[in-house]
Amino acid sequence: MEKILLGHGSGGRIMHTLIRERLAPVFGMETLNDSAVLDICSKGRIAFTTDSYVVSPIFFPGGDIGDLAVFGTVNDLAVSGADPLYISVGFIIEEGFSMDSFERILASMAAAAKRAGVKIVTGDTKVVDKGKGDGIFINTSGIGIVKDGISLGPDKIKPGDQVIVSGAIGRHGISVMAERNGLSFDPPVLSDTAPLNGLVDIMLNVCKDIKMMRDPTRGGVATTLKEMAFESGLCIQIEENMLPVTGGVRGACELLGLDPLYVANEGILLAIVPAESVESLLAAMRDNETGKGAVRIGAVVDPESINKTSGSSAAGTVLLRTAIGGSRVIDMLAGEQLPRIC
Amino acid sequence: MEKILLGHGSGGRIMHTLIRERLAPVFGMETLNDSAVLDICSKGRIAFTTDSYVVSPIFFPGGDIGDLAVFGTVNDLAVSGADPLYISVGFIIEEGFSMDSFERILASMAAAAKRAGVKIVTGDTKVVDKGKGDGIFINTSGIGIVKDGISLGPDKIKPGDQVIVSGAIGRHGISVMAERNGLSFDPPVLSDTAPLNGLVDIMLNVCKDIKMMRDPTRGGVATTLKEMAFESGLCIQIEENMLPVTGGVRGACELLGLDPLYVANEGILLAIVPAESVESLLAAMRDNETGKGAVRIGAVVDPESINKTSGSSAAGTVLLRTAIGGSRVIDMLAGEQLPRIC
């Protein structure tokens, strides 16, 4: 079986051959220069993002580290209100990694880029000695154009705004954990990894006044809601019985001792939207494959309106109204629940 | 001693604290959103590049993985004829890595960004379990604006053009190898890691018709010249006795069995320039700290003018005229000479 050698990262002939013959053709790269030169039409502002992917295992039900890396960066741009255009890719490969697996990942990235409508334009390959990495790590950075007339941010959020989620939660984290632990569910829990830029387009066409969007990846829905509450200084109240959790995820969470609110997602978004647009947004989202599970899960409330049983302010907090009528404060993931989930 | 924990990469509270309190202030980041939104003035085309850094050891005479990561990406943009503006940073840190070392690297990156006149605008932190990484790996991606009226590329190169190098070769590779092997030289060989954008500005002010520039990193001057010869289809002839090699690098290469032509550099550039501009370019470069060792090392020649002793064409080849009057074909680094040099 062909393997990655240290020399594949050395800058010399075999690295050039790898890039010229295997990597560039798969991605349709036009240049092998160190920089890609891009004609970006000048009307807009540019969004720029980066993420490294260290998920273990690298292949999991519903996806792999390759499409995850492309969709993850596409989604960071999309939820910031930008049209993703160009992606860079940096590989850090462990010596001895299977060339077949590498090519499978390249093909997966190329297919993901095509699906998301972005172009992988520049890249880099490094190889580390055996035992100093873990198969493959991938960094993707991305450039997008900020959509005209769109302004998203925590300062836009007001009491009365509604919170929607675009699909069932916790699927990515559970699919990776299941694969890692040799568990299989029937039906299998598939990662939700998917590009969100198409869905965001649809949403912004329906409602230009969406307040804020985020994709709840590491740390899950709970952590992302907490960030939104913290940054807006308001209180977000969600309803446990409105949370979309599939039976498979619920069962796996019980088995593994996890809370689906803290489990990573890779193909859903949270949006805070004006109350009057909720129904039209949900209807439009459900017409799209990526948004067909979209539901409202709660609302933004004035922190002053919350009974302060403990005497502390509800500003910046997330409250979960439980199925049995109680209320619990949702904090960020405190330490480590699911290492290397993305 | 404070250490990096798996939880520092989990997306939860301690990761947020790390980013909010330690990383963002050092880099002067204005947003902790996943994407940075950049107002890029619209006149130009954009250059986009990425590189991962896996150098071992991470601290070496003359630099560390942090300034290397910033300067490396700045230089990829600069030699492509772009003004570097914005940098992203992605960390992959091994669990247990010293927090002191991490903060030292952050400070080094911030100082490097300041020196190069670029801004680190977005970032990402992942942590892998102990034994699955090697201290710290850093990806930097960069955006620059392609300078107006500048067009560089192998198609511009013509017989008669001259080849210049901006400083003494092989210093970075030797400094890392010395540190790795516990060798010390007197005086020490320091890495040449430095930003090249200022020098490139000066050069393009003197001569808008520079044909092509590259920074000879992994694979060294030999590999980069071979790329230039290959891409232009011409022959590059260099003179061994014109190559700037310091006594320290020469001695270390003899000791370690290395050829300085193949040793990595991180703060010099190779340029192919019109013959009539060589003297004015060299004079201007030598007035600048980064270019003070600039010299001419050879010329581009018509492959047809080369005696074909073997019957094969000299198109796309690099020939070294040795100090004793012989001639030797210089190829790319074939496999692995210096793993993890950057």
Side-chain angles (χ1 to χ4, degrees), chain A residues 37-299:
Chain A
V37 171
L38 312 169
D39 269 307
I40 292 190
C41 170
S42 59
K43 14 180 184 175
R45 287 167 301 158
I46 278 179
F48 183 30
T49 188
T50 193
D51 256 315
S52 300
Y53 295 84
V54 298
V55 64
S56 170
I58 56 177
F59 299 104
F60 46 82
D64 60 56
I65 191 171
D67 52 21
L68 191 69
V70 172
F71 294 148
T73 287
V74 162
N75 293 349
D76 279 345
L77 292 170
V79 297
S80 73
D83 283 321
L85 293 179
Y86 299 110
I87 303 283
S88 69
V89 53
F91 295 106
I92 298 175
I93 313 174
E94 186 186 8
E95 179 187 17
F97 187 66
S98 142
M99 187 66 85
D100 281 353
S101 296
F102 183 53
E103 294 200 316
R104 188 172 153 198
I105 289 164
L106 291 180
S108 164
M109 295 185 82
K114 192 173 174 196
R115 180 170 165 204
V118 296
K119 212 161 154 37
I120 297 171
V121 290
T122 188
D124 174 58
T125 306
K126 293 290 189 309
V127 180
V128 295
D129 10 343
K130 196 152 183 68
K132 301 296 186 181
D134 193 18
I136 188 167
F137 303 142
I138 302 179
N139 176 282
T140 47
S141 300
I143 295 177
I145 299 280
V146 180
K147 289 172 193 287
D148 243 6
I150 300 300
S151 171
L152 302 166
D155 52 306
K156 303 281 187 297
I157 301 173
K158 296 203 165 38
D161 288 342
Q162 301 293 303
V163 182
I164 60 187
V165 63
S166 65
I169 72 175
R171 289 172 288 162
H172 174 70
I174 293 302
S175 90
V176 173
M177 288 304 282
E179 185 72 17
R180 196 183 290 172
N181 294 304
L183 302 174
S184 63
F185 302 105
D186 185 22
V189 176
L190 302 182
S191 169
D192 59 340
T193 181
L196 291 167
N197 49 335
L199 184 66
V200 169
D201 282 349
I202 290 169
M203 293 172 67
L204 288 170
N205 277 339
V206 171
C207 173
K208 279 212 176 316
D209 300 322
I210 291 174
K211 308 300 183 81
M212 192 174 183
M213 291 183 282
R214 284 266 167 93
D215 56 331
T217 56
R218 280 184 289 178
V221 166
T223 300
T224 300
L225 287 174
K226 175 67 185 175
E227 288 170 10
M228 290 168 145
F230 179 79
E231 292 170 23
S232 68
L234 297 171
C235 174
I236 294 178
Q237 200 163 39
I238 57 170
E239 311 285 333
E240 187 170 38
N241 59 18
M242 290 178 171
L243 289 174
V245 186
T246 62
V249 168
R250 191 177 302 281
C253 278
E254 278 166 15
L255 192 69
L256 296 165
L258 300 172
D259 181 340
L261 269 178
Y262 289 94
V263 176
N265 311 277
E266 290 289 343
I268 64 167
L269 61 80
L270 286 165
I272 299 188
V273 307
E276 63 272 21
S277 304
V278 169
E279 290 313 318
S280 53
L281 274 167
L282 289 176
M285 291 169 76
R286 288 173 188 153
D287 274 348
N288 182 271
E289 177 62 24
T290 320
K292 65 177 195 290
V295 290
R296 189 182 82 83
I297 59 169

Side-chain angles (χ1 to χ4, degrees), chain B residues 300-323:
Chain B
V300 179
V301 297
D302 182 350
E304 299 301 316
S305 72
I306 304 288
N307 277 331
K308 296 171 226 170
T309 47
S310 68
S312 65
S313 166
T317 64
V318 178
L319 295 178
L320 176 78
R321 293 222 300 217
T322 63

Side-chain angles (χ1 to χ4, degrees), chain B residues 103-280:
Chain B
E103 294 201 315
R104 187 172 154 199
I105 290 165
L106 291 180
S108 165
M109 295 185 81
K114 192 173 174 196
R115 181 170 165 203
V118 296
K119 211 159 155 36
I120 298 171
V121 290
T122 188
D124 174 58
T125 306
K126 294 289 190 306
V127 180
V128 296
D129 11 341
K130 196 151 183 69
K132 301 296 185 181
D134 193 16
I136 187 166
F137 303 143
I138 302 179
N139 176 282
T140 47
S141 300
I143 295 177
I145 300 281
V146 180
K147 288 172 193 287
D148 242 7
I150 300 300
S151 171
L152 302 166
D155 52 306
K156 304 280 187 299
I157 301 173
K158 297 204 163 40
D161 288 342
Q162 301 293 302
V163 182
I164 60 186
V165 64
S166 65
I169 71 175
R171 290 172 288 163
H172 174 71
I174 293 302
S175 90
V176 172
M177 289 303 282
E179 186 72 17
R180 195 182 293 171
N181 294 303
L183 302 174
S184 63
F185 303 106
D186 185 21
V189 176
L190 301 182
S191 168
D192 59 340
T193 180
L196 291 166
N197 48 335
L199 184 66
V200 169
D201 282 348
I202 290 168
M203 293 172 67
L204 289 170
N205 277 338
V206 170
C207 174
K208 280 213 175 312
D209 301 322
I210 291 173
K211 308 300 182 80
M212 191 174 185
M213 291 183 281
R214 284 266 167 92
D215 56 330
T217 55
R218 278 184 291 178
V221 166
T223 300
T224 300
L225 287 174
K226 174 68 185 175
E227 288 170 10
M228 289 168 145
F230 179 81
E231 291 170 24
S232 68
L234 297 170
C235 174
I236 293 178
Q237 201 163 39
I238 58 170
E239 311 287 334
E240 188 171 37
N241 59 18
M242 289 178 172
L243 288 173
V245 186
T246 62
V249 168
R250 192 176 301 283
C253 279
E254 280 166 14
L255 193 69
L256 297 165
L258 301 171
D259 181 341
L261 270 178
Y262 289 93
V263 176
N265 310 277
E266 289 289 343
I268 64 168
L269 60 80
L270 286 164
I272 299 188
V273 307
E276 63 272 21
S277 304
V278 169
E279 290 313 319
S280 53

